[in-house]
Amino acid sequence: MILLDGKDLATQIKAEIKTEVDEIRGRGGNIPHLAAIIVGDNPASESYVKNKVKYSDEVGFESTVIKKDANISEEELLEIVNGLNQNSDVDGFIVQLPLPRHIDPDKVTLAIDPKKDVDGFHPYNFGSMAQGMEAYLPATPYGILLMLERYQIETEGKKVLVLGRSNIVGTPIGILLSRKGNPGNATVTIAHSRTKNLDDLLAESDIIIAAIGRASFVKANQIKEGAVVIDVGINRVEDSSKKRGYRLVGDVDFIDVSSKASYLTPVPGGVGPMTVTALMLNTLKASKVKGNG
Ligand code: GUN
């Protein structure tokens, strides 16, 4: 089994981005600036945003975090989004999800200027992506594509099974891998909670992408010998041997599946770092669109 080392790959790509940013800085160009809005005290969201800021610093970007209490009104949040849309200093921004229940995430996503939507969540970007037009790709699917590309994993004609149909992972990666291109040209099935013949689908798939949020769900006895397995899940399971009381595991039973897969991502250190890298690439692109980048 070959480990798909997202951490190592992210380090390589970050170095490439930093070289480019140094060159931009050297000629007095526009330094990429990423902003993130975080609402409430969700510990997972806080840790994701912290990582995004850390990566931004490492590649030489500017970054701004706007942190608001969970009781912020929808209107107030929309005003902040609008402010970032208008702020010519900010090239791209994200609103970390999930949001508190009283705020409609669709309304917020629709309020983001598609030109600054470096998460690729706005329907303008999603629709452009689906039609193969220029778009900011959503970060996790983009990170998976980068991983497949750099590890030279062939997708053409392969049977791909995506577990999960979320707007931010399952559905877009399914679209991207079925489109013409490399990576792409695959035959994709998207499975979800109502899928009936999951065991048959798992057994016949060359590439499995698990994004369902269920700890250690995929087992070795379900997959084909030599399958490529990409684990998007990040689940907390209680572990009293750890200081923090839990450990992170993916949607795939890593140790079990490692005996049968040809390529496998670890959790943590697989798709996670690639997601943040993809966000950096989108932000770099946004800063160039603005000019003198
Ligand atoms: N919550 C979980 N993943 C993501 C992501 O990629 N972007 C944002 N904004 N929120 C998330």
Side-chain angles (χ1 to χ4, degrees):
M1 184 274 290
I2 295 174
L3 193 72
L4 293 168
D5 189 337
K7 200 170 165 208
D8 183 57
L9 190 49
T11 303
Q12 280 175 42
I13 300 176
K14 271 191 289 182
E16 293 165 19
I17 299 172
K18 184 171 187 311
T19 302
E20 203 169 327
V21 175
D22 287 347
E23 187 268 322
I24 293 168
R25 184 172 278 110
R27 65 178 150 81
N30 177 41
I31 303 299
H33 183 173
L34 172 69
I37 303 174
I38 178 167
V39 180
D41 300 308
N42 180 323
S45 291
E46 284 186 346
S47 134
Y48 295 148
V49 169
K50 214 169 103 188
N51 248 336
K52 290 169 187 179
V53 170
K54 180 170 156 260
Y55 271 48
S56 293
D57 292 347
E58 284 169 3
V59 297
F61 289 1
E62 287 169 23
S63 63
T64 301
V65 176
I66 301 173
K67 186 163 174 11
K68 291 288 163 188
D69 283 347
N71 60 10
I72 186 177
S73 69
E74 187 179 86
E75 199 185 351
E76 213 182 322
L77 181 59
L78 290 171
E79 270 170 27
I80 295 170
V81 167
N82 212 25
L84 291 175
N85 284 340
Q86 309 292 333
N87 185 344
S88 59
D89 215 36
V90 171
D91 297 296
F93 67 96
I94 64 158
V95 181
Q96 189 66 29
L97 301 177
L99 289 168
R101 257 169 228 239
H102 66 277
I103 298 176
D104 179 354
D106 291 347
K107 245 191 197 170
V108 175
T109 301
L110 281 167
I112 298 172
D113 180 346
K115 291 196 286 297
K116 294 192 175 189
D117 170 36
V118 285
D119 252 336
F121 290 176
H122 191 286
Y124 178 86
N125 281 311
F126 196 98
S128 298
M129 171 207 70
Q131 296 192 20
M133 299 193 294
E134 185 60 32
Y136 292 114
L137 301 182
T140 301
Y142 186 13
I144 294 170
L145 293 187
L146 289 168
M147 193 172 235
L148 292 168
E149 210 172 12
R150 299 273 178 132
Y151 276 89
Q152 298 181 335
I153 293 170
E154 184 61 74
T155 57
E156 180 158 326
K158 295 289 161 65
K159 283 188 182 172
V160 173
L161 178 65
V162 179
L163 301 179
R165 55 180 162 183
S166 72
N167 287 341
I168 65 177
V169 185
T171 300
I173 192 67
I175 293 169
L176 287 162
L177 287 176
S178 58
R179 290 202 56 84
K180 268 189 192 151
N182 181 23
N185 289 333
T187 304
V188 177
T189 302
I190 298 184
H192 46 75
S193 53
R194 309 292 168 94
T195 296
K196 288 211 161 72
N197 51 344
L198 189 60
D199 280 338
D200 296 340
L201 295 170
L202 279 164
E204 69 184 26
S205 296
D206 304 304
I207 301 174
I208 296 163
I209 300 175
I212 45 172
R214 291 179 65 175
S216 308
F217 180 82
V218 178
K219 306 285 185 193
N221 64 8
Q222 295 175 295
I223 71 164
K224 187 159 122 178
E225 186 74 48
V228 174
V229 182
I230 297 183
D231 190 352
V232 184
I234 304 177
N235 309 289
R236 289 182 176 197
V237 295
E238 260 182 55
D239 186 342
S240 54
S241 73
K242 302 272 181 209
K243 213 163 62 188
R244 56 189 181 180
Y246 67 88
R247 69 194 147 87
L248 296 177
V249 302
D251 292 349
V252 174
D253 188 331
F254 181 86
I255 294 179
D256 192 32
V257 166
S258 63
S259 63
K260 213 166 169 191
S262 58
Y263 291 87
L264 177 60
T265 59
V267 175
V271 173
M274 295 308 298
T275 295
V276 192
T277 304
L279 179 67
M280 299 299 118
L281 287 170
N282 280 345
T283 307
L284 179 62
K285 179 169 151 177
S287 75
K288 290 178 182 168
V289 170
K290 201 168 82 179
N292 77 335

